[in-house]
Amino acid sequence: MNTLSYALLAFLAREQSSGYNLMLRLQPFWPAKHSQIYPLLSHMESEELLTSCWVVQCEKPDKKLYSITEKGIRKLKEWLYVPLADPITRDELSMKTFCMWLTDLDNAIDIIESRRVHLVKKLEHLHLKISDKVREDLEFGTPEFFDYMLYQKAIYTTTSGLDWTNMMLDILKEQRTKQNLK
Amino acid sequence: MNTLSYALLAFLAREQSSGYNLMLRLQPFWPAKHSQIYPLLSHMESEELLTSCWVVQCEKPDKKLYSITEKGIRKLKEWLYVPLADPITRDELSMKTFCMWLTDLDNAIDIIESRRVHLVKKLEHLHLKISDKVREDLEFGTPEFFDYMLYQKAIYTTTSGLDWTNMMLDILKEQRTKQNLK
DNA sequence: TGTCCCATGTAAACCGTTACATGATTGA
DNA sequence: TCAATCATGTAACGGTTTACATGGGACA
């Protein structure tokens, strides 16, 4: 059982869902392609952690709805007592910043600016999402409460990333002004 | 050419280095095991991006020192004009938070607390590292300047992670107090 | 007519970790 | 004596991405 399997259990513990929908909802937390998810789901079904049934839809293709079993819920609860693994982040921007001394100021600014744009969009999206959540007044211990806290987590990291790019851009642009004066 | 290859070029553009040393220095930015790095380095040598020579050391095993070639530097500079990829983070903590409503308060607190400990240690380490750097007064555009900015990047993200765990712990512990009063 | 979204699946290639294999030196 | 650090490499396995494959409905 890898983390992705537990991620699937985690979503299915809340409500039954199709592989396609799981793939979409998983992206912010544990990015995975459908080609990874579909075989995993059928494997988990063979392990009796899940059950499935086909649902016919009108104006949309048929879908296979997965539900979590008692055994699946037990597995998921056990996992919550397994020591937490460290997070893994791989960011090309760190490596590009590391060799930024090899390129020109304009390119350096373009690189950081492209990340800034990405983070601004992400933050806007998160603020939209969280404003939906606040209305349903949050009761501690409900799934929605933890959804809200996860949006906060994403907002914290995105904001700190944005702060860094803004600091970098200030320094780089100031430097460009100095250069142009010469 | 994958990102790891460029990461190796990025380090070797600053100074010649052994595979072992590259592996160690790479960890904070692009974690990789020696078993991934050694074959990559020899492949990159066959592509004439690197050259190598054996160095005999006293009281330590022999090492193979790699140096970047002109072609390697050209490749690295070209990479700095390729559009930046989005960062990828996979954090079990997000998934565990997502299904925290399934477990007890004490366990929830333990989970967040274990991440807090990890982040506090990381932050201490970063502050130590950065205090070394500040002394050599930083001149813009030098490799050391970008080193300093990368430490800042790490400090920003670690601090925001820590802020989130502290907020979570405040809420969870307050809730535990309420529960105990009943 | 072409593109996007829904929806499922497989196959191949690539990336990353764990395990196997060796061996000297330093310090607890 | 045992563990850690330095140092290099290969083999097997598992995780992830890209490409192949199909097909209907919505929308411009």
Side-chain angles (χ1 to χ4, degrees), chain A residues 89-91 93-94 97 110-128 151 153-169, chain B residues 84-89 153 156-157 160:
Chain A
T89 301
R90 286 197 167 90
D91 189 357
L93 180 56
S94 295
T97 303
D110 285 351
I111 292 170
I112 308 289
E113 188 67 43
S114 73
R115 173 58 51 88
R116 206 188 127 266
V117 169
H118 172 253
L119 292 174
V120 166
K121 277 184 197 153
K122 197 176 165 186
L123 201 55
E124 276 168 8
H125 175 254
L126 286 167
H127 280 302
L128 273 176
Y151 278 118
K153 187 172 187 273
I155 289 174
Y156 273 53
T157 39
T158 309
T159 303
S160 75
L162 197 52
D163 289 346
W164 183 79
T165 61
N166 285 332
M167 178 179 65
M168 268 302 263
L169 283 172
Chain B
L84 187 63
D86 292 344
I88 290 180
T89 300
K153 187 173 187 272
Y156 273 53
T157 40
S160 74

Side-chain angles (χ1 to χ4, degrees), chain A residues 3 7 10-11 13-14 25-26 29-32 73 76-77 79-105 107 111 114-115 118 140-143 145-147 149-150 152-153 156-157 160 163-164 167-168 171-172 175, chain B residues 3 7 10-11 13-14 25-26 29-32 73 76-77 79-105 107 111 114-115 118 140-143 145-147 149-150 152-153 156-157 160 163-164 167-168 171-172 175:
Chain A
T3 309
F11 275 92
R14 295 193 177 199
R25 297 207 45 196
L26 218 58
F29 307 108
W30 201 274
I73 290 179
L76 186 58
K77 285 185 177 172
W79 178 59
L80 288 163
Y81 289 92
V82 176
L84 187 63
D86 293 344
I88 289 180
T89 301
R90 286 197 167 90
D91 189 357
E92 258 192 29
L93 180 56
S94 295
M95 290 323 306
K96 289 199 172 178
T97 303
F98 189 81
C99 46
M100 221 167 241
W101 59 280
L102 279 168
T103 199
D104 54 289
L105 246 179
N107 187 37
I111 292 170
S114 73
R115 173 58 51 88
H118 172 253
F140 177 84
T142 58
F145 168 79
F146 292 104
D147 280 357
M149 296 312 288
L150 276 174
Q152 289 293 349
K153 187 172 187 273
Y156 273 53
T157 39
S160 75
D163 289 346
W164 183 79
M167 178 179 65
M168 268 302 263
I171 296 172
L172 294 174
Q175 207 61 30
Chain B
T3 308
F11 275 91
R14 294 193 178 199
R25 297 209 44 199
L26 219 57
F29 307 108
W30 202 273
I73 291 179
L76 186 58
K77 285 185 177 173
W79 179 59
L80 289 163
Y81 288 93
V82 176
L84 187 63
D86 292 344
I88 290 180
T89 300
R90 286 198 168 89
D91 189 356
E92 257 192 30
L93 179 57
S94 295
M95 290 323 308
K96 289 199 172 176
T97 303
F98 189 81
C99 46
M100 221 168 241
W101 59 280
L102 279 167
T103 199
D104 55 288
L105 246 179
N107 187 37
I111 292 170
S114 73
R115 172 57 54 85
H118 171 253
F140 177 83
T142 59
F145 168 80
F146 291 104
D147 281 357
M149 296 311 290
L150 276 174
Q152 288 295 348
K153 187 173 187 272
Y156 273 53
T157 40
S160 74
D163 289 346
W164 183 79
M167 178 179 67
M168 269 302 263
I171 296 172
L172 295 173
Q175 206 62 30

